[in-house]
Amino acid sequence: MSISMKDEILRKLLAANGEAVSGQELADELNVSRTAIWKHMQTLQEEGYTFETVKKKGYVLTGIPNSLSPMQIELFLNTERFGRHIHHFDVVDSTQIIAHKLAQEGAPDGTIVIGEEQTAGRGRMARPWESAHGTGIWMTVIVRPDVTPQQASSYTLVVAVAVTKAIKTLYKNVEPAIKWPNDLLINGKKCTGILTEMQAEADCVQALLVGIGINANQVESDFSPEIAEIATSLRLAEGEEINRAALVATILQYLEQYTELFVNEGFARIKTLWEQASCTIGQRIEVTTLREQFEGIASGITEEGVLQLTQDNGTVRTIYSGDIRII
């Protein structure tokens, strides 16, 4: 990850742990003028950082914004590859669109594209996803696993397990449940959506583009009337503001860990973790596909992550795609 002059200044202020950092020393170390340092400090203030100026000593960092800047994420990052290349935007149409382009240009495994706001966020079947500024996590991870396209079909479930584990690690009051195939629910309301798209040849995966949208800090009034009854946020469940950078870093940690497990040992161990966190298995559900609608008991998933449904007459149906509703 390339570090800008501004981020280098911020890194030194963070490392000072509340002690004053001399503006002249910053200028000398970075080989720039004091005026240049002052301009970067002004930019940091505009981004939400606050400082106290101590006479003859320098700048003391007194406040940090709840942002998703590379520097903020890096503070919490504990990975080898994931999150080591970050493309951060204040406003973007869709992180998924940008990730597709970067992947085609050779972006390395674990690269992330993340935005404070999306103007054209989308979920499965091109459904719109509300992505208001500064409230959630709107990111795409570029993953390059050594698997076949057939094996990659279950990767969305791997991602769901990683996000669930990250949330449960950080928040004691939140118990997310996975709804097949790509949603995380809290108390029956949607909090997270996952969209996995593939760049591949006939027998080789070039890249998986993993879009993750998480309602993090929304309050009830932030949701539009169309989704207010079915959506929730981590903040509403936990009862306090969510540090979004810490959550992103923790998700990347578990995503890297479970991706390696998936590549090295297959889906079987992930399958067990998914079933433990699922709110779908054992429930009566209604399935809507492009051609029909039917219902039955969600009896399990296959070794490929495909949903199995047992109808009232005992027929077991395999559901590769479709919308489900727990009834």
Side-chain angles (χ1 to χ4, degrees):
M1 189 190 321
S2 62
I3 301 296
S4 67
M5 179 77 68
K6 179 193 69 178
D7 283 345
E8 193 60 50
I9 293 169
L10 179 57
R11 186 197 296 275
K12 293 181 182 298
L13 290 165
L14 290 165
N17 290 319
E19 298 295 322
V21 177
S22 164
Q24 186 60 56
E25 289 179 6
L26 285 172
D28 293 342
E29 287 182 39
L30 299 173
N31 196 29
V32 296
S33 67
R34 282 291 303 275
T35 301
I37 296 296
W38 179 81
K39 287 182 178 178
H40 285 302
M41 296 297 291
Q42 292 293 107
T43 301
L44 287 169
Q45 282 189 312
E46 290 170 3
E47 293 178 358
Y49 294 91
T50 57
F51 308 93
E52 180 182 342
T53 304
V54 180
K55 191 174 182 180
K56 295 184 179 180
K57 289 188 176 182
Y59 302 101
V60 177
L61 184 63
T62 57
I64 300 173
N66 191 341
S67 80
L68 295 171
S69 69
M71 187 62 66
Q72 289 292 95
I73 294 171
E74 188 183 67
L75 289 174
F76 302 97
L77 205 55
N78 183 27
T79 62
E80 291 184 6
R81 303 181 314 282
F82 283 37
R84 296 301 170 179
H85 295 83
I86 300 176
H87 298 262
H88 173 257
F89 300 88
D90 186 56
V91 180
V92 65
D93 51 0
S94 165
T95 61
Q96 203 79 354
I97 293 172
I98 293 175
H100 269 284
K101 184 173 184 293
L102 290 172
Q104 290 170 345
E105 294 171 350
D109 182 39
T111 296
I112 73 169
V113 181
I114 197 161
E116 299 288 347
E117 177 184 351
Q118 290 185 119
T119 58
R122 59 186 172 89
R124 288 174 65 239
M125 303 180 185
R127 294 190 180 104
W129 179 278
E130 292 188 7
S131 314
H133 194 281
T135 58
I137 293 171
W138 328 121
M139 74 172 174
T140 300
V141 187
I142 299 173
V143 186
R144 298 189 184 275
D146 184 15
V147 296
T148 66
Q150 291 72 29
Q151 291 170 313
S153 63
S154 57
Y155 190 69
T156 296
L157 282 68
V158 177
V159 180
V161 169
V163 176
T164 298
K165 180 66 173 177
I167 291 172
K168 293 178 72 171
T169 296
L170 292 176
Y171 313 117
K172 63 181 184 300
N173 297 323
V174 184
E175 189 68 30
I178 304 172
K179 177 189 171 191
W180 187 89
N182 68 323
D183 292 341
L184 265 60
L185 308 182
I186 299 174
N187 298 324
K189 293 187 174 184
K190 185 169 179 175
C191 171
T192 300
I194 300 165
L195 173 65
T196 303
E197 297 176 321
M198 186 187 313
Q199 293 179 359
E201 297 176 3
D203 59 352
C204 176
V205 172
Q206 299 293 339
L208 298 176
L209 296 307
V210 182
I212 302 173
I214 302 176
N215 296 331
N217 280 321
Q218 288 94 334
V219 296
E220 291 179 356
S221 59
D222 289 327
F223 294 117
S224 67
E226 292 79 14
I227 66 169
E229 295 299 316
I230 59 172
T232 189
S233 72
L234 294 175
R235 180 174 185 165
L236 289 171
E238 180 68 1
E240 61 183 40
E241 185 178 12
I242 300 303
N243 185 317
R244 295 181 298 145
L247 178 55
V248 168
T250 306
I251 289 171
L252 294 173
Q253 175 186 337
Y254 284 112
L255 188 56
E256 182 176 90
Q257 175 185 329
Y258 288 135
T259 299
E260 290 176 356
L261 180 63
F262 173 62
V263 171
N264 294 331
E265 301 186 26
F267 184 65
R269 288 182 59 187
I270 300 294
K271 177 177 181 287
T272 300
L273 296 172
W274 188 94
E275 289 172 335
Q276 290 171 352
S278 172
C279 64
T280 305
I281 305 305
Q283 299 292 321
R284 187 170 189 85
I285 62 172
E286 178 184 80
V287 180
T288 302
T289 70
L290 291 175
R291 294 179 298 176
E292 59 182 328
Q293 187 177 80
F294 51 91
E295 61 183 66
I297 302 296
S299 48
I301 56 173
T302 68
E303 295 300 322
E304 293 75 37
V306 178
L307 183 65
Q308 291 184 309
L309 176 140
T310 302
Q311 294 185 282
D312 294 341
N313 62 5
T315 301
V316 177
R317 299 190 61 165
T318 301
I319 315 300
Y320 289 93
S321 65
D323 286 337
I324 71 168
R325 182 174 68 89
I326 299 171
I327 56 178

